[in-house]
Amino acid sequence: MIRNSQLGKAHGCLAGLALGDALGCPTEFLTPEQIAAEYGWVEGLVAPPVWHPHSVLSRGRVTDDTEQALALAGVYLRDGRMSAEAVAQALLDWADVQGEHLALYLGPSTRQALEALRAGADPRESGRAGRTNGAAMRVAPVGIVHARDFEGALADAVEASLPTHGTTLALSAAAAVACAVAEAMREDTTLEEVSEAGMEGAVRGRAFGTWVWTPPLEKRIELALRLARQAGSEMEAIRALYDCIGVDLTVIESVPTAFGLVALAEGDPMQAVRYAANIGGDTDTIGAIAGAICGALASIDAIDQALLAEVERVNRLDLAAVAQGLVRVGAAHREGEGREST
């Protein structure tokens, strides 16, 4: 049976992701000082500066963070399950329809992997060089389907990531986000439990993939949480995350910073995505991750409905329908597991 609370959380997760992406798109690549000079403080949807690489994109436009997440959702809605092979095909299909816009926001790891896949590479091997945050940014649908199911979220996060991001670092990040969302989907969870699930996902996810040297992601998340909680003000916390954790597309910077903003916002998705839009660097991905986690935790009622409606209109999205489909897939998974255990 599908409960309304699960639908609300799933819808909130996808809405938070899309809003974080759309608010952060115009400020991506900018420093906090450049953002302040151009906009003051970004509260809602703004157009990119005329000199910005994204200036050809309209206000409210999402990027690959949302589009790839919806591609993953499409795998579940079509197949009822996640597999590296299906993800590889879904991403190739997504890239094919982007046209000239693809070069504006396609990340380096995904670009390299897609080229390998087109050349006939095995989807379970094509992402062996992927070290950036591309898997973490798109993995929220995994957490929705595996609501309250840490092991299921972990397993499918790996499957969803392997075609483009098959290193221990990238898989650690994807598992961190998927497991945090899965915990946030639980009705009686807390922000602390969501953060703990993310850190445990980071630990467990590192057991998969091609080994790369890196600081343990869970330690960086722990540091980001401490910086966010101990700062004297919101602006001090944002600056501490910018200075001490970082905002680059590398996993070890952007993903912990996103978790730090979740803590700073106390789970409020609109606060989290606004912080992300103003922090600088990889603003859209930081916002998409923080917005997805907070959206799942706080549910759709915490989302600014006017902003969401504009983003959906600009991008021709129906996130409520996708959320409903993902919740149905999740319910079918749990029903199947229940039958197997009897």
Side-chain angles (χ1 to χ4, degrees):
M1 181 177 68
I2 298 176
R3 292 175 291 187
N4 288 335
S5 62
Q6 288 293 288
L7 286 175
K9 281 178 167 285
H11 192 189
C13 178
L14 296 178
L17 188 157
L19 286 180
D21 187 9
L23 264 69
C25 173
T27 58
E28 187 181 14
F29 313 125
L30 305 186
T31 67
E33 292 77 16
Q34 289 173 315
I35 295 169
E38 188 73 27
Y39 302 107
W41 178 263
V42 177
E43 283 283 344
L45 299 173
V46 297
V50 294
W51 43 265
H52 194 281
H54 292 167
S55 62
V56 298
L57 301 179
S58 58
R59 191 183 81 155
R61 175 67 185 266
V62 298
T63 71
D64 55 341
D65 302 80
T66 304
E67 291 168 354
Q68 289 189 29
L70 293 177
L72 257 63
V75 171
Y76 277 128
L77 299 181
R78 184 185 66 249
D79 299 344
R81 57 185 290 273
M82 186 61 61
S83 70
E85 291 77 13
V87 170
Q89 188 59 56
L91 292 177
L92 287 170
D93 292 344
W94 163 78
D96 284 342
V97 301
Q98 295 310 305
E100 62 184 12
H101 287 160
L102 183 65
L104 294 176
Y105 47 65
L106 183 62
S109 294
T110 301
R111 180 182 295 106
Q112 181 177 354
L114 291 181
E115 290 173 356
L117 287 167
R118 293 190 192 284
D122 183 340
R124 297 180 180 275
E125 300 292 329
S126 52
R128 289 173 62 86
R131 301 177 58 145
T132 55
N133 56 19
M137 74 182 188
R138 69 182 185 230
V139 79
V142 169
I144 294 173
V145 167
H146 292 287
R148 311 180 304 280
D149 176 12
F150 181 96
E151 297 297 334
L154 173 65
D156 273 9
V158 173
E159 286 292 314
S161 305
L162 282 175
T164 58
H165 292 78
T167 61
T168 52
L169 173 61
L171 293 171
S172 177
V177 176
C179 292
V181 170
E183 176 60 28
M185 290 288 294
R186 188 161 61 86
E187 292 179 39
D188 57 348
T189 194
T190 65
L191 182 57
E192 182 178 358
E193 289 171 322
V194 170
S195 298
E196 289 174 352
M199 288 187 283
E200 180 61 21
V203 174
R204 295 282 302 280
R206 198 165 53 247
F208 303 90
T210 302
W211 176 261
V212 293
W213 289 105
T214 176
L217 181 60
E218 69 278 7
K219 299 296 185 183
R220 296 280 290 181
I221 294 174
E222 184 179 13
L223 175 59
L225 297 176
R226 187 162 67 248
L227 290 171
R229 290 165 177 163
Q230 293 179 352
S233 68
E234 293 177 341
M235 295 309 297
E236 286 182 14
I238 292 170
R239 192 71 207 191
L241 291 170
Y242 180 85
D243 288 341
C244 302
I245 303 297
V247 293
D248 189 47
L249 56 75
T250 56
V251 162
I252 213 66
E253 294 191 18
S254 52
V255 175
T257 289
F259 273 89
L261 294 183
V262 169
L264 180 62
E266 297 182 340
D268 181 333
M270 297 312 303
Q271 283 281 69
V273 299
R274 288 179 175 125
Y275 291 152
N278 290 279
I279 198 171
D282 199 2
T283 48
D284 57 339
T285 294
I286 293 170
I289 293 172
I293 295 171
C294 289
L297 181 62
S299 196
I300 189 63
D301 291 342
I303 297 293
D304 184 316
Q305 296 301 308
L307 283 180
L308 177 59
E310 184 170 357
V311 169
E312 290 198 304
R313 178 186 62 78
V314 168
N315 297 280
R316 300 180 180 179
L317 302 178
D318 185 353
L319 297 179
V322 178
Q324 186 173 47
L326 291 174
V327 172
R328 285 175 174 163
V329 172
H333 276 224
R334 287 185 286 277
E335 290 172 6
E337 291 167 358
R339 286 193 295 269
E340 290 176 2
S341 63
T342 59

